[in-house]
């Protein structure tokens, strides 16, 4: 049952020493405040980076090529490597786990014209799978389909920025844009929430791009998903592809530049590790700050006990048992830390909420902490309070009434 | 009620062993009003503290209401104090941040008596010592005599069988001392045994029997 009397006793002693109560409270509140805010900032950074990473499918390999950096089999360094359709086809055929794939062939600074507007944007030839791999969102019409690629149709899906700049509010679906002098029918529009630069692209079927630009069967890079593969399996797959492509394109096995297979699974796993580390560090810092607060409370409680020696002696003479004295001091410490800590907790959460409202940086979003962390902090506080009260309480129990009551 | 047989107590240890009670034999009947006198340092306070279970003794036997009081744990000692004993001190020992009525009611808190009930009882006792109007005042707002009457009311609230008073009038003038003694005598008339340590002959004269202490030994039992 809730013991009103006990609480009145505690309350009484607390308001009798307001300055001390406030000073103690501040140290604990500050400790928990720092813990909460740092946790929140950690989460914010994590959320930001995760969101950024989720711009692209996490379970995917991105395969790029570049000029060779090492001479090999009589070939000089600096030779440009270019992938072909069959490189992509090999990977798609070999691995059952590859559910989605896309090649990519791009051009920058391409003039696009609609009505009286002409502006430069980027053009990208892609497969239908590009939508899922790049995590773009179709905002109108449809995306490129298999038929478009097979027939090398002159259709396009426009990024948000192009739609805004060229069409100025007009519905672009079904309209024709002139891209580098060739007419393309707009079948859809898209938006990429992850990165704004994506929105400056016009997607066309990869076959169309290859034909229009005379690139035959060349692709700049390609990407595939790894499906349900585990991290180790995906790392293995990436290594196999790397070896296969080097062999086929006559690249030195140690050449790190000519062929690169980026495993997003691996980068993501590394990132998760980094953030687990950061969060652990933040907990450690927070706990040490709190520890300083606890020592403060313990210190102040023992001063209180010392000052109240006489009073405790009187209480004992009047029938207070050791247990009740122990309980009084510990409850007081717990009460102090919990109240002060809760204030720090709330202040921290409020600050984070305010920050969340104003800050939405690419690498820093939504710095709120979850309920679990709050609960953990509260439990920590109560334990901390009890611990800080324990030593002074034991000292109070040891006070002998005769000594306390001796008249000086 | 009280029976001490060869009770000894020393302070310090080894070479610095300093005997204070050197073998006290004494008994007090139920309902008696007894005073203890003796020169300063003769061990009066020490004896009273032993009687009040506030301090331990080294050897001998102490029977309180027929029960042996040796080797009590702190908790049982606290329970005996709470149930059977009341204390009045020279320096009052009120809790300075509690009002008169709260001070009086405090011992009942340790008997887990509900707040309303114990405050009502405290008010009754304050009325008895003539301090109804002062119930909500802090000790710092009261005179010595008033404070001592609050302390007496506090010692009475648990309906103890024995009240121990260490120089209850030591800090009071003659007039107030007499008033306080009147209250104590009233209380004794209700059957509560009372032992008063005092320096003053006038105070001792108001009791039924004077036990004289000299250098840690009973000089006379007043019988
Ligand atoms: N805690 C202690 N440690 C050492 N000596 C003590 C302690 N308490 C009391 N004494 C000594 O024991 C002796 C008796 O003390 P006590 O307080 O019983 O005397 P008293 O008769 O009450 O004297 P007074 O009339 O001055 O109050 C004194 O010599 C005192 O110095
Ligand atoms: Mg004395």
């Amino acid at each position: 049952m809730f013991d009103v009397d006990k609480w009145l006793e505690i309350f009484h002693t607390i308001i009798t020493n307001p300055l001390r109560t406030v000073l103690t409270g501040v140290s604990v509140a500050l400790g928990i405040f720092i813990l909460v805010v740092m946790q929140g900032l950690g989460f914010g950074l994590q959320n930001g980076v995760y969101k950024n990473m989720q711009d692209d499918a996490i379970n995917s390999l991105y395969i790029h090529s570049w000029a060779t950096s090492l001479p090999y089999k009589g070939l000089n360094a600096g030779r440009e490597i270019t992938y072909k359709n069959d490189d992509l086809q090999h990977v798609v055929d070999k691995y059952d786990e590859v559910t989605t794939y896309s090649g990519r062939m791009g051009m920058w600074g391409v003039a696009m014209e609609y009505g009286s507007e002409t502006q430069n944007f980027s053009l990208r030839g892609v497969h239908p799978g590009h939508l899922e791999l790049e995590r773009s969102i179709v905002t109108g019409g449809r995306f490129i389909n298999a038929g478009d690629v097979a027939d090398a149709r002159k259709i396009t899906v426009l990024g948000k920025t192009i739609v805004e700049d060229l069409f100025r509010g007009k519905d672009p679906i079904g309209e024709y844009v002139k891209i580098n002098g060739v007419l393309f029918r707009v079948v859809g529009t898209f938006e990429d929430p992850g990165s704004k630069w994506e929105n400056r692209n016009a997607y066309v079927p990869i076959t169309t791009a290859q034909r229009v630009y005379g690139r035959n069967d060349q692709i700049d890079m390609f990407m595939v998903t790894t499906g349900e593969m585990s991290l180790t399996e995906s790392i293995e797959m990436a290594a196999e592809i790397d070896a296969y492509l080097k062999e086929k394109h006559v690249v030195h096995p140690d050449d790190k530049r000519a062929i690169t297979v980026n495993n997003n699974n691996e980068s993501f796993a590394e990132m998760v590790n980094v953030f687990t580390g950061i969060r652990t560090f933040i907990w450690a810092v927070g706990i040490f700050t709190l520890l300083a607060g606890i020592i403060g409370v313990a210190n102040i409680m023992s001063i209180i006990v010392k000052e109240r020696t006489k009073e405790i002696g009187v209480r004992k003479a009047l029938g207070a048992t050791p247990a009740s004295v122990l309980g009084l001091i510990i409850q007081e410490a717990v009460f102090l830390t919990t109240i002060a800590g809760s204030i720090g907790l709330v202040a921290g959460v409020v600050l984070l909420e305010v920050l969340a409202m104003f800050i939405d940086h690419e690498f820093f979003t939504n710095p709120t902490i979850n309920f679990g962390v709050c609960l953990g902090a509260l439990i920590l506080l109560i334990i901390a309070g009890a611990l800080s009260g324990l030593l002074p309480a034991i000292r109070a129990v040891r006070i002998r009434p005769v000594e306390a009551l001796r008249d000086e | 009620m009280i029976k001490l047989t060869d009770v000894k107590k020393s302070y310090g240890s080894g070479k610095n062993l300093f005997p204070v009670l050197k073998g006290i034999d004494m008994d007090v009947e139920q309902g008696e009003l007894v005073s203890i006198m003796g020169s300063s340092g003769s061990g009066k306070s020490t004896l009273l503290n032993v009687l009040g279970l506030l301090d331990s003794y080294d050897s001998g036997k102490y029977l309180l209401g027929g029960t042996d009081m040796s080797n009590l744990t702190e908790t049982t000692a606290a329970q005996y104090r709470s149930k059977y004993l009341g204390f009045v001190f020279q320096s009052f020992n009120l809790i300075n941040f509690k009002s008169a009525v709260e001070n009086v009611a405090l011992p009942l808190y340790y008997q887990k008596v509900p707040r309303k009930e114990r405050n009502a009882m405290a008010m009754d006792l304050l009325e008895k010592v003539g301090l109804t109007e002062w119930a909500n005042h802090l000790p710092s707002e009261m005179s010595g005599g008033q404070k001592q009457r609050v302390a007496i009311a506090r010692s009475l609230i648990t309906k103890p069988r024995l009240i121990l008073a260490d120089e209850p009038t030591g800090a009071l003038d003659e007039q107030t001392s007499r008033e306080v003694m009147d209250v104590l005598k009233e209380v004794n008339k209700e059957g509560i045994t009372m032992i008063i340590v005092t320096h003053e002959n006038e105070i001792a004269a108001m009791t039924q029997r004077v036990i004289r202490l000299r250098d840690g030994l009973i000089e006379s039992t007043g019988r």
Side-chain angles (χ1 to χ4, degrees):
Chain A
M1 203 196 83
F2 185 71
D3 188 349
V4 181
D5 284 333
K6 205 154 214 168
W7 286 108
L8 283 172
E9 283 279 298
I10 289 169
F11 204 62
H12 216 138
T13 47
I14 282 173
I15 56 171
T16 320
N17 289 312
L19 178 69
R20 193 171 305 140
T21 305
V22 166
L23 285 179
T24 316
V26 165
S27 71
V28 174
L30 208 65
I32 205 82
F33 177 80
I34 290 171
L35 176 69
V36 166
V37 170
M38 284 183 65
Q39 280 286 328
L41 295 182
F43 273 116
L45 195 62
Q46 179 174 335
N47 289 340
V49 173
Y50 279 8
K51 187 178 160 196
N52 219 44
M53 291 196 65
Q54 274 156 12
D55 175 22
D56 307 331
I58 293 162
N59 58 335
S60 58
L61 306 181
Y62 278 39
I63 299 146
H64 295 268
S65 67
W66 205 255
T68 55
S69 63
L70 298 169
Y72 188 54
K73 291 192 173 165
L75 297 167
N76 287 333
R79 181 172 50 96
E80 202 73 45
I81 302 295
T82 310
Y83 298 137
K84 302 234 170 89
N85 286 345
D86 57 357
D87 291 324
L88 170 58
Q89 202 54 49
H90 167 84
V91 173
V92 173
D93 291 345
K94 183 168 175 194
Y95 298 95
D96 292 338
E97 286 89 347
V98 174
T99 49
T100 304
Y101 65 89
S102 177
R104 196 191 259 178
M105 216 214 75
M107 308 292 271
W108 289 0
V110 178
M112 299 192 189
E113 183 184 337
Y114 175 76
S116 56
E117 289 286 340
T118 307
Q119 283 188 44
N120 281 355
F121 296 104
S122 301
L123 178 82
R124 252 187 199 167
V126 296
H127 285 97
H130 195 273
L131 180 70
E132 186 184 326
L133 281 153
E134 194 59 61
R135 295 220 168 160
S136 317
I137 298 162
V138 173
T139 51
R142 63 171 178 85
F143 199 69
I144 293 160
N145 62 30
D148 298 330
V149 175
D151 300 347
R153 291 174 193 149
K154 294 197 182 65
I155 55 106
T156 182
V157 180
L158 299 180
K160 192 178 164 212
T161 312
I162 305 180
V163 174
E164 283 167 2
D165 291 0
L166 286 189
F167 288 86
R168 308 202 169 272
K170 198 165 170 247
D171 183 12
I173 312 284
E175 300 293 315
Y176 285 84
V177 273
K178 206 179 256 179
I179 299 176
N180 232 356
V182 181
L183 276 180
F184 281 77
R185 188 165 58 90
V186 181
V187 296
T189 56
F190 76 93
E191 187 181 341
D192 193 308
S195 82
K196 297 188 171 68
W197 287 105
E198 292 291 328
N199 295 328
R200 297 186 61 84
N201 279 308
Y203 289 142
V204 300
I206 188 153
T207 43
T208 316
Q210 287 168 333
R211 197 166 297 173
V212 169
Y213 289 96
R215 296 277 302 271
N216 303 319
D217 60 346
Q218 293 179 353
I219 49 179
D220 292 339
M221 58 89 56
F222 60 97
M223 48 234 223
V224 296
T225 58
T226 55
E228 301 292 300
M229 266 189 191
S230 70
L231 179 59
T232 22
E233 285 169 341
S234 71
I235 290 172
E236 221 165 88
M237 172 177 166
E240 283 170 17
I241 293 172
D242 187 69
Y244 168 80
L245 291 173
K246 279 175 177 164
E247 166 93 50
K248 179 158 180 258
H249 291 273
V250 200
V251 172
H252 193 288
D254 295 337
D255 196 328
K256 295 242 183 300
R257 194 173 75 178
I259 308 271
T260 56
V261 181
N262 266 333
N263 188 349
N264 285 330
N265 294 283
E266 207 179 341
S267 333
F268 186 73
E270 274 167 14
M271 209 47 101
V272 169
N273 274 342
V274 166
F275 279 110
T276 310
I278 290 179
R279 285 240 302 288
T280 314
F281 172 74
I282 288 173
W283 267 108
V285 170
I287 284 171
F288 276 111
T289 324
L290 201 61
L291 206 66
I294 293 168
I295 292 170
V297 175
N299 210 10
I300 281 159
M301 288 308 294
S302 54
I303 295 173
I304 289 179
V305 165
K306 211 169 204 167
E307 272 186 11
R308 286 169 66 190
T309 300
K310 185 136 195 154
E311 179 204 325
I312 290 166
V314 172
R315 285 173 183 274
K316 285 186 163 182
L318 298 181
T321 56
S324 78
V325 172
L326 198 79
L328 182 72
I329 305 295
I330 288 184
Q331 276 200 34
E332 224 175 282
V334 169
F335 181 75
L336 251 177
T337 39
T338 309
I339 292 291
S342 302
I343 291 171
L345 189 70
V346 170
V349 171
V350 166
L351 179 71
L352 289 175
E353 290 294 330
V354 171
L355 281 180
M357 273 195 301
F358 289 107
I359 301 179
D360 190 11
H361 188 265
E362 196 173 354
F363 285 105
F364 190 87
T365 40
N366 203 16
T368 46
I369 61 167
N370 57 26
F371 183 70
V373 173
C374 285
L375 201 72
L378 261 180
I379 291 172
L380 204 69
L381 269 179
I382 292 170
I383 295 172
L387 279 180
S388 65
L390 193 63
L391 244 80
I394 288 172
R395 185 182 285 184
V397 165
R398 293 234 178 93
I399 292 173
R400 296 177 55 223
V402 248
E403 313 264 308
L405 295 174
R406 180 171 297 129
D407 298 319
E408 296 305 332
Chain B
M1 170 98 228
I2 284 176
K3 188 168 175 57
L4 295 191
T5 330
D6 200 22
V7 167
K8 290 181 182 166
K9 177 168 182 67
S10 316
Y11 283 114
S13 60
K15 267 188 186 168
N16 295 320
L17 200 69
F18 180 74
V20 178
L21 302 179
K22 299 174 180 170
I24 303 282
D25 294 300
M26 116 186 201
D27 46 318
V28 177
E29 300 297 322
Q30 176 82 45
E32 264 195 296
L33 173 54
V34 179
S35 56
I36 299 176
M37 293 193 77
S39 56
S40 186
S42 57
K44 304 183 295 293
S45 295
T46 308
L47 176 58
L48 206 71
N49 289 336
V50 168
L51 291 176
L53 306 176
L54 294 172
D55 208 348
S56 58
Y57 52 96
D58 302 336
S59 65
K61 194 162 187 146
Y62 173 19
L63 294 179
L64 175 62
T67 316
D68 190 359
M69 291 291 127
S70 54
N71 302 320
L72 295 182
T73 65
E74 279 232 36
T75 305
T76 33
Q79 283 161 354
Y80 277 120
R81 286 198 292 269
S82 175
K83 271 193 223 154
Y84 302 120
L85 305 176
F87 295 92
V88 178
F89 305 94
Q90 177 175 1
S91 54
F92 324 125
N93 283 333
L94 299 176
I95 292 175
N96 55 24
F97 59 82
K98 285 179 179 285
S99 67
V101 63
E102 286 171 329
N103 263 290
V104 174
L106 187 61
L108 288 184
Y109 169 72
Y110 292 111
Q111 291 189 359
K112 308 216 176 342
V113 175
R115 188 177 175 76
K116 272 214 179 107
E117 209 173 299
R118 62 173 200 256
N119 279 355
M121 287 172 77
M123 284 308 295
D124 284 350
L125 282 170
L126 282 175
E127 193 190 336
K128 196 168 167 183
V129 296
L131 288 175
T132 308
E133 277 98 87
W134 292 84
N136 294 313
H137 285 252
L138 292 176
S140 55
E141 299 159 349
M142 290 188 248
S143 73
Q146 288 170 328
K147 281 193 250 193
Q148 198 58 301
R149 281 187 280 162
V150 171
I152 292 170
R154 181 179 66 181
S155 74
L156 289 173
I157 198 159
T158 56
K159 303 198 172 75
R161 304 248 294 277
L162 171 65
I163 287 182
L164 301 164
D166 196 350
E167 306 195 34
T169 60
L172 306 176
D173 64 30
E174 217 171 301
Q175 172 64 25
T176 356
S177 294
R178 199 161 298 133
E179 285 168 23
V180 165
M181 278 309 290
D182 286 344
V183 176
L184 288 177
K185 278 164 77 177
E186 266 321 291
V187 169
N188 172 249
K189 275 194 191 134
E190 288 167 22
I192 298 177
T193 314
M194 191 163 300
I195 302 177
I196 301 172
V197 167
T198 184
H199 271 121
E200 297 155 74
N201 286 317
E202 300 84 60
I203 301 296
M206 288 185 233
T207 63
Q208 298 159 359
R209 178 157 76 97
V210 182
I211 296 173
R212 288 186 190 277
L213 216 59
R214 167 182 277 198
D215 200 15
L217 284 168
I218 304 272
E219 190 181 40
S220 70
T221 61
R223 279 227 172 85

